[in-house]
Amino acid sequence: MRRRCALLGMRDPALQCNLFDTLVLPILSYGCEVCGVDTKCGAAAEALHRDFLRRLLGVRKSTGNSMVLAELGRSPLQIYFWQQILRYHHRTVALDNVRLVKLAMVDGFALDQTAVKDSWQHYLGDFLHGHLGQQQLFHNFDVASVVERAKHQHAFKYFADVQHSSLMLYRTMQPEYKPAEYLSVVKCASNRRLISRFRTGCHGLRVCKSCWADSVHLNRTDRLCLVCESLDCVEDEQHFVFDCPAYRHIRSQHLDLLQHCCTIADFMTLCEPNTCGGVLRECFACRKQILSV
């Protein structure tokens, strides 16, 4: 699909996500209403989904799942699978009690309660219990509100995650769970990819790249900038954009852009995305030239 989009010049990330939902997602969810989605199949489908998003953003395979989903404002596919199952459940419950398909569904859930505790029916009951307070099988409820509640819960976990240090800086640049603005504004694919990598920590600066040296773990304070050969400055995003003297001549050309910014969050959220991409491209080109000498 992505190869065909490239041939047709369709590079807009939002459009490609819509094409994924239209062309690929129905295949991944085929039959989930009847057969359900177990943990193994659901994980495989989600892995394919995240791989598509990583390729779309142009980031590394090791980029955190939370950042990849948040950058494009996407939710895990499991929520979509539950939505399809619940819609089918509602349609089936509305049938006459003598219909075979309804009797089969009722028997399936009855079997789950008596013998099979690791089935998708059991997971569906847990899903409803977590979002409605009690299991509402065979009762009418608003499926859309349950799905929205699940999406909000996923977004809440993203904002509440304090175990991954990489998310702390990223959340300052992505304070809301929605597609990042630059994805629709920056039309140059290479600049858009550069911004994506910078925001998600795939930029190659020593703060993220040089965690290990000669099989020895380096503390963050030891990942010093090699461009300005500083003895006390870590080569992180803040130093790269605002402080490193090697890029002073680039910053002097964009004083109107940088004079109102003092943090990376300001730089990425307040400045015009196309200009941000241009500044980053100039700085990375200068860095490459200095380190290659």
Side-chain angles (χ1 to χ4, degrees):
M1 186 193 79
R2 296 192 66 248
R3 187 182 300 112
R4 185 63 175 167
C5 287
L7 290 175
L8 296 174
M10 300 165 59
R11 302 185 182 277
D12 180 34
L15 178 58
Q16 292 196 42
C17 285
N18 288 336
L19 288 174
F20 180 90
D21 292 339
T22 303
L23 302 176
V24 181
L25 189 51
I27 299 174
L28 296 177
S29 62
Y30 180 77
C32 71
E33 300 90 342
V34 178
C35 303
V37 181
D38 61 24
T39 306
K40 184 177 181 180
C41 292
E46 185 58 40
L48 187 148
H49 176 222
R50 292 195 298 260
D51 181 66
F52 165 77
L53 298 181
R54 286 187 175 93
R55 291 174 181 271
L56 185 59
L57 293 172
V59 298
R60 292 195 301 251
K61 292 182 179 180
S62 58
T63 306
N65 297 333
S66 298
M67 287 189 287
V68 172
L69 291 171
E71 191 76 349
L72 289 154
R74 304 277 295 183
S75 299
L77 294 187
Q78 187 63 58
I79 296 177
Y80 175 80
F81 296 150
W82 288 135
Q83 174 182 273
Q84 296 300 97
I85 291 172
L86 290 175
R87 286 176 176 175
Y88 175 79
H89 167 271
H90 269 35
R91 292 195 299 269
T92 305
V93 168
L95 298 175
D96 295 333
N97 292 331
V98 297
R99 295 289 294 273
L100 182 60
V101 64
K102 183 174 183 177
L103 294 174
M105 185 182 73
V106 173
D107 286 346
F109 282 102
L111 178 64
D112 167 65
Q113 297 298 323
T114 58
V116 184
K117 295 302 181 183
D118 196 28
S119 64
W120 68 271
Q121 292 99 330
H122 179 74
Y123 292 127
L124 176 60
D126 290 345
F127 175 78
L128 291 176
H129 181 75
H131 295 91
L132 293 178
Q134 58 181 341
Q135 292 189 12
Q136 295 286 343
L137 293 175
F138 311 120
H139 295 81
N140 288 323
F141 54 84
D142 187 5
V143 174
S145 65
V146 173
V147 172
E148 283 302 312
R149 202 169 297 148
K151 291 180 179 179
H152 286 309
Q153 187 179 63
H154 169 74
F156 175 79
K157 290 180 179 179
Y158 156 76
F159 288 111
D161 188 347
V162 295
Q163 297 181 352
H164 298 87
S165 58
S166 59
L167 277 177
M168 296 181 182
L169 175 63
Y170 176 75
R171 281 195 294 255
T172 64
M173 296 182 283
Q174 185 72 356
E176 298 182 61
Y177 202 92
K178 62 179 184 179
E181 179 186 1
Y182 76 92
L183 293 172
S184 59
V185 175
V186 179
K187 302 304 180 182
C188 175
S190 59
N191 276 4
R192 188 170 61 236
R193 184 165 55 248
L194 181 62
I195 295 175
S196 297
R197 291 175 175 174
F198 188 80
R199 286 165 57 94
T200 58
C202 302
H203 37 54
L205 300 180
R206 297 197 77 227
V207 67
C208 294
K209 186 177 181 181
S210 299
C211 299
W212 296 86
D214 298 328
S215 300
V216 178
H217 183 266
L218 289 179
N219 293 324
R220 191 180 191 279
T221 54
D222 296 327
R223 304 170 201 171
L224 303 179
C225 180
L226 300 179
V227 178
C228 61
E229 298 181 350
S230 172
L231 298 178
D232 58 353
C233 292
V234 176
E235 190 186 31
D236 58 8
E237 295 85 354
Q238 181 76 20
H239 175 77
F240 179 73
V241 174
F242 293 101
D243 302 327
C244 186
Y247 315 121
R248 187 179 292 118
H249 64 288
I250 298 176
R251 289 192 289 271
S252 65
Q253 299 173 11
H254 302 279
L255 291 177
D256 56 334
L257 173 70
L258 299 173
Q259 64 182 350
H260 301 297
C261 302
C262 57
T263 65
I264 288 298
D266 293 339
F267 177 69
M268 298 304 299
T269 57
L270 300 180
C271 300
E272 203 279 322
N274 285 288
T275 308
C276 287
V279 172
L280 291 176
R281 178 165 296 282
E282 290 182 54
C283 289
F284 275 110
C286 180
R287 180 180 186 269
K288 182 179 180 180
Q289 182 179 11
I290 294 174
L291 293 180
S292 64
V293 175

